[in-house]
Amino acid sequence: MAKIDKRSWAEPYRMKMVELLKVTTRPQRVKALKEAGFNTFLLRAEDVYIDLLTDSGTNAMSDQQWAAFMTGDEAYAGSKSYYNMEKAIRQYYGYKYIVPTHQGRGAEHILSKILIKKGDYVPGNMYFTTTRLHQELAGGKFEDIIIDEAHDATSEFPFKGNVDLNKLERLVKKVGSSKIPYVCIATNVNMAGGQPISIANLKELRKFTKKHGIRIIHDMTRVAENAYFIQQREKGYGSVKVRDIVKEICSLTDGATMSAKKDALVNIGGFLAINDWDTFEEARNMVVAYEGLHTYGGIAGRDMEAIAVGIRESLSDAHQAARVGQVEYLGKKMESYGIPTVKPFGGHGIFVDAKAFLPHISQDEFPAQTLAGEVYVDSGVRTMERGIVSAGRKPNGENYHPKLELVRFTLPRRVYTQAHMDVVAESVAMVYDRRKKIKGLKMVYEPKYLRFFQARFEQLK
Ligand SMILES: *Cc1c(COP(=O)(O)O)cnc(C)c1O
């Protein structure tokens, strides 16, 4: 008998259509990266072989989603597709009132404008780039209340997305709860490496915020991946379905901003969801100015149909097992080559620790930005920086110096195969072999907002 101690998962789908990729040569890639100012965001996508820049809007839609796409109702007002999306959000997430937006940041913009007054504080379990920017533009100040383990690339704590309630309590004591319009809670914290928050922690937070009359707003971009980790790791949830865990998470919060481009398996779209009528009414007024009428909010009817189906598909246990399983496969493969990565492996990608990979390059010479470029030149695999460039500058102009200096290998959902993962891991191993010869970068152009998207660099001699 064959000796098998662990059964493999496989994707719960098969291919029906493929997209051909261009393979480039090393000299072509050296030239392309130089022209892109050593910023992988400025590469042309057609010069990329395996694109792990982001999992945002890069998902492969299912035949069911494409079929729904064709039924999109493009009416300017009262589109049937809006009501289909609203129904899915209410059914699977449980929020009451929905305002569609063109993507996640559209919802963040509107919510921040409504709830944040100048001088307010917005605590959160680590920042996200666009989320914090909208909080700051609305006059608020972001306060990091995530547990310390989240800032430690080597900690294997299973819920690195948890809130440190002592940090929150200290803030409430210092500034008073009237200066805190809401606590912003991300599920599967992107910037911490795709790390989950536990239900137990969320329940404690709910108790605390209730006592102080503070709302919880849920950045639910990757809620289903978080729910899968809860199923795998949290006591008492081993036999609870992902869809039921998602519903429970949402029930512990008062509203949400969503980028449907991640979990919900579409290419564009998002929404703001809220349980109180007054905030909803203001949001519905405001969306007309910034996004579009309240029954389309900047997305087409067909996209709302695809979101409705995508939400349902994202809550399948088999889908999440394959999704998170593929990330883990890549992580283990890199680990076998000795590559330093953030542990435990996250839900949407593998985060390589650039400080440990390139210890001879100081943070001000952008080790993660450098490494992302080196991997691209080696194999045409595109990744992105999540370190000092992404962290940007404080309102007073100083650079943030984040503890984590990472390169993110983000996996689009249902797009690449295990063989692609092998190619990626081998490429990183090749770069690791010659890491001592790698030199850092200097920034030669810096945009004012979200600089990581458009900044340009030159190689240090
Ligand atoms: C992507 C993302 C957003 C913003 O959503 P967009 O659709 O890109 O505007 C907000 N929060 C988190 C955690 C995200 O990953």
Side-chain angles (χ1 to χ4, degrees), residues 76-121:
Y76 188 90
S79 155
K80 171 170 86 44
S81 306
Y82 165 76
Y83 291 105
N84 282 342
M85 181 174 88
E86 181 191 58
K87 191 171 151 211
I89 295 167
R90 284 184 173 161
Q91 179 182 347
Y92 296 112
Y93 299 146
Y95 294 115
K96 271 196 199 145
Y97 307 118
I98 306 349
V99 177
T101 56
H102 75 285
Q103 59 185 85
R105 70 199 69 181
E108 291 168 350
H109 174 214
I110 291 170
L111 184 86
S112 302
K113 267 193 134 83
I114 295 173
L115 294 183
I116 300 171
K117 296 184 305 298
K118 199 169 175 342
D120 278 351
Y121 291 80

Side-chain angles (χ1 to χ4, degrees), residues 352-372:
V352 171
D353 183 350
K355 273 188 189 167
F357 198 113
L358 299 171
H360 59 288
I361 300 183
S362 83
Q363 195 169 23
D364 291 306
E365 293 176 358
F366 313 108
Q369 190 77 32
T370 303
L371 180 53

Side-chain angles (χ1 to χ4, degrees), residues 73-296:
D73 174 0
E74 308 303 341
Y76 188 90
S79 155
K80 171 170 86 44
S81 306
Y82 165 76
Y83 291 105
N84 282 342
M85 181 174 88
E86 181 191 58
K87 191 171 151 211
I89 295 167
R90 284 184 173 161
Q91 179 182 347
Y92 296 112
Y93 299 146
Y95 294 115
K96 271 196 199 145
Y97 307 118
I98 306 349
V99 177
T101 56
H102 75 285
Q103 59 185 85
R105 70 199 69 181
E108 291 168 350
H109 174 214
I110 291 170
L111 184 86
S112 302
K113 267 193 134 83
I114 295 173
L115 294 183
I116 300 171
K117 296 184 305 298
K118 199 169 175 342
D120 278 351
Y121 291 80
V122 188
N125 55 346
M126 211 174 255
Y127 80 100
F128 183 73
T129 54
T130 58
T131 319
R132 185 178 69 193
L133 178 60
H134 279 300
Q135 291 164 358
E136 288 171 351
L137 290 173
K141 187 171 178 300
F142 167 79
E143 285 282 335
D144 192 3
I145 55 161
I146 203 164
I147 55 172
D148 289 340
E149 287 88 338
H151 292 282
D152 175 2
T154 62
S155 161
E156 300 230 13
F157 189 69
F159 292 103
K160 284 166 101 173
N162 278 0
V163 166
D164 183 337
L165 279 145
N166 292 324
K167 288 185 189 170
L168 179 59
E169 188 163 17
R170 275 201 294 275
L171 180 70
V172 172
K173 280 211 178 110
K174 195 173 106 195
V175 305
S177 53
S178 65
K179 283 247 178 275
I180 304 175
Y182 60 92
V183 178
C184 181
I185 291 303
T187 34
N188 243 30
V189 181
N190 189 349
M191 301 302 278
Q195 303 291 331
I197 180 170
S198 71
I199 290 271
N201 185 251
L202 199 50
K203 280 186 175 158
E204 280 181 46
L205 178 69
R206 175 76 290 180
K207 218 162 106 195
F208 181 88
T209 51
K210 212 168 219 162
K211 194 169 99 196
H212 292 275
I214 301 171
R215 283 192 185 84
I216 302 177
I217 296 295
H218 177 197
D219 180 344
M220 66 180 303
T221 298
R222 294 181 184 80
V223 65
E225 289 164 12
N226 196 121
Y228 179 74
F229 281 128
I230 287 172
Q231 184 192 65
Q232 299 300 306
R233 297 177 189 169
E234 191 160 355
K235 215 172 138 230
Y237 284 87
S239 56
V240 185
K241 292 206 166 310
V242 165
R243 54 186 284 170
D244 296 327
I245 300 173
V246 165
K247 197 96 180 250
E248 182 172 0
I249 293 172
C250 294
S251 77
L252 293 166
T253 68
D254 303 295
T257 55
M258 173 63 156
S259 170
K261 303 173 68 171
K262 291 33 177 285
D263 243 14
L265 296 163
V266 293
N267 305 119
I268 194 73
F271 57 82
L272 171 64
I274 195 93
N275 290 339
D276 85 274
W277 175 266
D278 292 344
T279 308
F280 168 62
E281 198 169 24
E282 251 186 279
R284 201 172 50 167
N285 277 319
M286 208 177 272
V287 77
V288 184
Y290 293 110
E291 303 277 319
L293 194 71
H294 62 279
T295 56
Y296 76 85

